[in-house]
Protein backbone atom coordinates (compact mmCIF):
# COMPACT_ATOMS: atom_id res chain seq x y z
CA UNK A 1 0.00 0.00 0.00
CA UNK A 2 2.84 2.37 0.90
CA UNK A 3 4.58 1.63 -2.41
CA UNK A 4 1.35 2.36 -4.30
CA UNK A 5 1.06 5.79 -2.65
CA UNK A 6 4.66 6.60 -3.50
CA UNK A 7 4.12 5.56 -7.14
CA UNK A 8 0.92 7.64 -7.38
CA UNK A 9 2.69 10.68 -5.89
CA UNK A 10 5.67 10.26 -8.24
CA UNK A 11 3.40 9.88 -11.27
CA UNK A 12 1.38 12.96 -10.30
CA UNK A 13 4.58 15.01 -9.93
CA UNK A 14 5.88 13.81 -13.30
CA UNK A 15 2.60 14.65 -15.07
CA UNK A 16 2.40 18.11 -13.49
CA UNK A 17 6.03 18.84 -14.39
CA UNK A 18 5.44 17.75 -17.98
CA UNK A 19 2.33 19.95 -18.27
CA UNK A 20 4.22 22.96 -16.96
CA UNK A 21 6.65 22.61 -19.87
CA UNK A 22 3.95 22.60 -22.55
CA UNK A 23 3.46 25.76 -24.63
CA UNK A 24 0.19 27.64 -24.09
CA UNK A 25 -2.70 26.73 -26.36
CA UNK A 26 -4.35 29.20 -28.72
CA UNK A 27 -7.38 29.18 -26.37
CA UNK A 28 -5.15 30.07 -23.38
CA UNK A 29 -3.57 32.96 -25.29
CA UNK A 30 -6.95 34.22 -26.56
CA UNK A 31 -8.13 34.59 -22.92
CA UNK A 32 -4.92 36.28 -21.79
CA UNK A 33 -4.56 40.08 -21.87
CA UNK A 34 -1.88 41.38 -24.24
CA UNK A 35 0.23 44.22 -22.88
CA UNK A 36 2.45 46.33 -25.11
CA UNK A 37 5.85 47.16 -23.65
CA UNK A 38 5.59 50.49 -21.83
CA UNK A 39 2.08 49.89 -20.51
CA UNK A 40 1.64 49.10 -16.81
CA UNK A 41 1.96 45.40 -16.07
CA UNK A 42 -0.93 43.64 -14.32
CA UNK A 43 -0.45 41.66 -11.11
CA UNK A 44 0.88 38.14 -11.47
CA UNK A 45 2.17 36.54 -14.66
CA UNK A 46 -1.01 35.86 -16.62
CA UNK A 47 -0.40 38.24 -19.54
CA UNK A 48 1.37 38.32 -22.88
CA UNK A 49 3.99 41.05 -23.15
CA UNK A 50 4.68 42.37 -26.64
CA UNK A 51 8.07 43.88 -27.37
CA UNK A 52 7.28 45.54 -30.74
CA UNK A 53 9.76 45.68 -33.61
CA UNK A 54 11.16 49.10 -34.43
CA UNK A 55 10.42 50.55 -30.99
CA UNK A 56 13.37 51.78 -28.90
CA UNK A 57 13.48 49.58 -25.78
CA UNK A 58 15.30 51.03 -22.78
CA UNK A 59 17.71 48.72 -20.99
CA UNK A 60 18.92 49.99 -17.62
CA UNK A 61 22.48 49.27 -16.49
CA UNK A 62 23.72 49.84 -12.95
CA UNK A 63 27.13 49.44 -11.34
CA UNK A 64 27.12 49.96 -7.58
CA UNK A 65 28.27 48.52 -4.30
CA UNK A 66 30.35 49.42 -1.28
CA UNK A 67 33.56 49.10 -3.32
CA UNK A 68 32.74 52.31 -5.20
CA UNK A 69 32.92 55.91 -4.07
CA UNK A 70 30.66 56.89 -7.00
CA UNK A 71 28.11 54.47 -8.43
CA UNK A 72 27.08 54.60 -12.07
CA UNK A 73 24.02 53.96 -14.14
CA UNK A 74 23.04 54.39 -17.76
CA UNK A 75 20.13 53.56 -20.01
CA UNK A 76 20.84 51.99 -23.38
CA UNK A 77 18.21 51.81 -26.13
CA UNK A 78 17.95 48.76 -28.38
CA UNK A 79 15.51 48.13 -31.22
CA UNK A 80 14.19 44.71 -32.22
CA UNK A 81 14.10 43.56 -35.84
CA UNK A 82 10.81 41.75 -35.29
CA UNK A 83 8.01 41.54 -32.73
CA UNK A 84 8.71 39.34 -29.72
CA UNK A 85 5.83 38.08 -27.56
CA UNK A 86 6.56 36.69 -24.10
CA UNK A 87 4.21 34.62 -21.93
CA UNK A 88 5.79 33.29 -18.75
CA UNK A 89 8.77 31.16 -19.91
CA UNK A 90 7.52 30.99 -23.52
CA UNK A 91 8.13 33.25 -26.51
CA UNK A 92 6.66 33.73 -29.96
CA UNK A 93 7.51 35.84 -32.99
CA UNK A 94 3.92 35.85 -34.30
CA UNK A 95 1.79 35.58 -31.14
CA UNK A 96 0.49 32.18 -32.29
CA UNK A 97 3.34 29.66 -32.21
CA UNK A 98 4.90 29.38 -28.75
CA UNK A 99 8.11 27.70 -27.64
CA UNK A 100 10.26 27.85 -24.54
CA UNK A 101 12.33 31.04 -24.71
CA UNK A 102 15.60 29.08 -24.60
CA UNK A 103 14.62 27.26 -27.84
CA UNK A 104 13.98 30.53 -29.72
CA UNK A 105 16.54 32.94 -28.32
CA UNK A 106 20.14 32.28 -27.36
CA UNK A 107 21.47 34.63 -24.70
CA UNK A 108 25.15 35.03 -23.88
CA UNK A 109 26.53 37.21 -21.12
CA UNK A 110 30.19 38.19 -21.01
CA UNK A 111 31.91 40.19 -18.28
CA UNK A 112 35.52 41.36 -18.57
CA UNK A 113 37.28 43.07 -15.64
CA UNK A 114 39.32 44.85 -16.92
CA UNK A 115 38.33 44.93 -20.59
CA UNK A 116 40.78 42.69 -22.50
CA UNK A 117 42.31 45.53 -24.48
CA UNK A 118 42.75 47.63 -21.32
CA UNK A 119 40.65 50.50 -22.66
CA UNK A 120 38.02 50.26 -19.89
CA UNK A 121 37.91 49.07 -16.28
CA UNK A 122 35.26 46.60 -17.32
CA UNK A 123 32.99 45.51 -20.13
CA UNK A 124 29.56 43.84 -19.94
CA UNK A 125 28.37 42.28 -23.21
CA UNK A 126 24.88 40.82 -23.60
CA UNK A 127 24.34 39.05 -26.92
CA UNK A 128 20.92 37.75 -27.94
CA UNK A 129 20.47 35.75 -31.14
CA UNK A 130 17.43 34.17 -32.72
CA UNK A 131 17.95 30.42 -33.06
Amino acid sequence: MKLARILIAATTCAVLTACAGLPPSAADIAKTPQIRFGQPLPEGDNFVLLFPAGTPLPVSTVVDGNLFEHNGQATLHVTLKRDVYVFRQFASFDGQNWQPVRKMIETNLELQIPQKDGSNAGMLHVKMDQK
Side-chain angles (χ1 to χ4, degrees):
M1 187 58 112
K2 187 175 183 180
L3 179 60
R5 287 185 193 155
I6 292 171
L7 288 175
I8 289 171
T11 303
T12 302
C13 288
V15 169
L16 290 175
T17 301
C19 289
L22 295 175
S25 68
D28 291 338
I29 294 300
K31 295 183 289 189
T32 305
Q34 186 176 100
I35 308 298
R36 189 177 183 90
F37 174 79
Q39 295 177 322
L41 298 178
E43 295 276 331
D45 66 353
N46 194 36
F47 59 88
V48 173
L49 181 59
L50 167 60
F51 293 95
T55 300
L57 302 171
V59 177
S60 179
T61 59
V62 177
V63 177
D64 65 5
N66 65 10
L67 179 65
F68 301 103
E69 184 172 335
H70 297 285
N71 298 323
Q73 64 182 35
T75 300
L76 309 172
H77 291 83
V78 296
T79 306
L80 294 170
K81 292 181 180 180
R82 61 190 304 180
D83 291 344
V84 177
Y85 299 82
V86 178
F87 177 71
R88 298 179 182 153
Q89 74 269 24
F90 299 97
S92 172
F93 293 125
D94 60 9
Q96 304 296 316
N97 299 298
W98 295 88
Q99 293 183 35
V101 171
R102 68 184 182 285
K103 288 189 177 183
M104 295 182 67
I105 300 170
E106 182 176 351
T107 303
N108 291 302
L109 177 66
E110 178 185 5
L111 176 63
Q112 296 176 9
I113 300 176
Q115 188 169 337
K116 286 182 183 176
D117 65 6
S119 62
N120 290 301
M123 189 269 299
L124 175 65
H125 180 192
V126 178
K127 183 176 182 183
M128 299 179 79
D129 291 316
Q130 178 181 335
K131 288 185 177 183

